[in-house]
Amino acid sequence: MMQITLGPLLYFWPKAEVMEFYAQAAQHPAIDRIYLGEAVCSRRQQLRTSDWIGLAKDLRDAGKEVVLTAQALLESESDLKALRRLISEAGGMIEANDLGAVKIACDQGLGFVAGPHLNIYNEHTLAFFAAQGAKRWLPPLEVAGKVIEDLHRTRPAGMETEVFAFGKLPLAFSARCFTARHYGLNKDDCQFKCLDHPEGMLVNTREGQHFLTLNGIQTMSAQTFSLLAQMPELLEQGIDAVRISPQPAHTFEILEAFDRARSGEAAGDDAAWAPDGLVNGFWFGRAGIVQQAA
């Protein structure tokens, strides 16, 4: 059966909220695999490396498959050291979104998940990462569904395909922190302003249209990307897993909706979980800000 995975936490939440969130996730029957770790910014240290290690062990004890997520921008030796410790003490597979993480996995003989920020757009690149030890891949978030279908059909033997299916799209990263800049602060003295924005900061056009979300060093879509209505198509294609990105609210309702959909039940209405609107344009090969009817 298609897996439902809980993607890495992309926002900066207080430690108590994160621990409570994963305590609920540990008991949720719809979740098959959980991605753990700081995926965005090394300054987000409400949870230390030891906390992520403890969470990984607790979730495995609860019967969940755990994958350790590496940052998309590994900028320093301290970032690499933390990742090595996470792998050494928590164990298991990692999700690599940076070639530095790929090298660490290769050096240690570990299989890995090739994350969406490795920019795999064609079968040659997919074959390259398979040769390095990738066991699963996520297409870049702007790739059309038809391209994903073709790459899934021609994927290397043993390679699994996981598709980002719900959440604001993490589009780009920068060495500069946009949230700190908004407050007139330097990145190294950001005062952890991301804690004040549990779902990032909306950016509007001059005409007032929601355009982007600022999430520290990460730029995201303003609207929520959802493939709930496309679940029958994903099932028909034989896609191995769909990823749900953690949300400040309704995450477990969303997981339950996708669980019903993978069992062939009616998808239901996902608009209530997206206060800033829904989009799916990339899936149809259109502008990402478009919402196209199924």
Side-chain angles (χ1 to χ4, degrees):
M1 178 180 284
M2 173 190 282
Q3 279 193 332
I4 293 177
T5 73
L6 184 63
L9 176 59
L10 301 180
Y11 305 112
F12 193 28
W13 298 347
K15 180 178 179 178
E17 293 181 17
V18 175
M19 301 302 280
E20 174 59 27
F21 178 82
Y22 284 114
Q24 293 182 58
Q27 303 303 319
H28 203 286
I31 304 172
D32 300 300
R33 171 182 284 200
I34 296 176
Y35 290 81
L36 273 186
E38 177 50 57
V40 179
C41 178
S42 60
R43 285 185 56 77
R44 296 180 175 183
Q45 294 186 14
Q46 285 275 308
L47 272 73
R48 303 286 185 170
T49 302
S50 58
D51 295 314
W52 291 117
I53 292 167
L55 273 175
K57 293 177 178 177
D58 291 344
L59 289 167
R60 288 197 183 102
D61 288 345
K64 301 301 183 186
E65 183 181 354
V66 174
V67 176
L68 309 170
T69 295
Q71 290 171 215
L73 284 181
L74 293 167
E75 298 184 278
S76 66
E77 178 56 34
S78 63
D79 291 345
L80 294 171
K81 182 179 179 181
L83 179 58
R84 292 189 191 101
R85 181 186 171 199
L86 194 60
I87 294 170
S88 173
E89 298 186 31
M93 189 179 291
I94 69 167
E95 178 185 35
N97 281 295
D98 173 279
L99 288 178
V102 172
K103 185 177 187 305
I104 288 175
C106 291
D107 288 347
Q108 299 193 23
L110 297 174
F112 63 93
V113 177
H117 306 299
L118 286 181
N119 297 332
I120 300 173
Y121 292 102
N122 56 61
E123 59 188 23
H124 302 293
T125 307
L126 186 55
F128 169 81
F129 283 110
Q132 309 309 307
K135 305 300 182 185
R136 176 178 288 203
W137 76 294
L138 281 93
L141 304 170
E142 69 274 19
V143 171
K146 181 63 172 66
V147 176
I148 294 172
E149 180 183 8
D150 291 343
L151 289 173
H152 177 66
R153 188 179 62 252
T154 60
R155 69 197 185 281
M159 178 69 73
E160 296 177 336
T161 302
E162 180 174 331
V163 173
F164 186 99
F166 194 94
K168 293 193 174 187
L169 293 166
L171 299 170
F173 294 84
S174 170
R176 174 171 293 181
C177 178
F178 301 112
T179 304
R181 179 70 174 176
H182 172 79
Y183 286 100
L185 301 169
N186 294 322
K187 179 182 177 182
D188 292 338
D189 183 30
C190 65
Q191 299 178 24
F192 308 108
K193 288 294 186 179
C194 286
L195 280 172
D196 297 336
H197 304 281
E199 200 174 9
M201 300 175 59
L202 274 176
V203 176
N204 294 334
T205 66
R206 290 186 176 183
E207 292 75 27
Q209 181 184 15
H210 296 332
F211 179 51
L212 294 170
T213 297
L214 301 183
N215 179 37
I217 67 170
Q218 183 182 67
T219 303
M220 311 175 78
S221 62
Q223 297 82 9
T224 298
F225 181 81
S226 176
L227 293 181
L228 183 60
Q230 282 67 51
M231 279 292 285
E233 185 179 352
L234 292 164
L235 288 163
E236 184 178 348
Q237 292 173 9
I239 297 299
D240 298 288
V242 289
R243 172 176 293 193
I244 311 304
S245 189
Q247 307 293 304
H250 309 300
T251 300
F252 299 104
E253 295 174 38
I254 296 162
L255 288 160
E256 289 160 9
F258 275 87
D259 188 29
R260 292 192 297 271
R262 71 171 165 178
S263 299
E265 298 180 30
D269 182 14
D270 46 8
W273 307 320
D276 299 312
L278 289 168
V279 293
N280 60 13
F282 283 146
W283 180 259
F284 294 98
R286 300 181 63 191
I289 204 168
V290 169
Q291 172 68 4
Q292 179 165 317

